[in-house]
Amino acid sequence: MSGRRDRISDDEINELISKLQALLPESSRRRNASRSSASKLLKETCSYIKSLHREVDDLSERLSGLMSTMDNDSPQAEIIRSLLR
């Protein structure tokens, strides 16, 4: 059963929206300079997260390709391994 204390206040929602907006890239923040709807902000955030996932996947593929062409005992391979730890 959900009581009154379980509800989030409008002030808390506005604070969370501001924090979420601050996490988006600069270009999104400029577009949202005027207080945008929470649903629009959530859609933009989901889109941004999806683009970050695509970027991570792309970088992982590129790194795998690079590592496959490299001697495992080379200084470059050791540097990459140390960065991934």
Side-chain angles (χ1 to χ4, degrees):
M1 181 189 279
S2 180
R4 181 132 174 93
R5 291 187 307 164
D6 293 338
R7 295 182 60 96
I8 188 166
S9 71
D10 287 346
D11 287 341
E12 289 171 312
I13 290 173
N14 288 335
E15 183 180 340
L16 292 170
I17 288 171
S18 293
K19 288 179 178 180
L20 187 56
Q21 204 168 21
L23 296 173
L24 293 176
E26 193 66 35
S27 60
S28 293
R29 281 189 278 179
R30 277 196 299 275
R31 279 198 312 264
N32 290 324
S34 62
R35 181 65 72 177
S36 65
S37 71
S39 64
K40 182 178 178 185
L41 179 62
L42 289 172
K43 287 177 186 175
E44 288 186 15
T45 302
C46 288
S47 176
Y48 180 58
I49 290 170
K50 287 177 186 176
S51 74
L52 289 175
H53 279 286
R54 284 190 301 271
E55 190 173 339
V56 166
D57 290 343
D58 178 56
L59 290 171
S60 294
E61 286 180 30
R62 291 170 56 191
L63 182 58
S64 291
L66 178 64
M67 292 294 289
S68 70
T69 63
M70 192 176 283
D71 177 11
N72 281 338
D73 297 325
S74 71
Q76 294 86 355
E78 183 54 39
I79 290 170
I80 291 173
R81 279 194 295 276
S82 70
L83 292 172
L84 296 174
R85 290 184 198 135

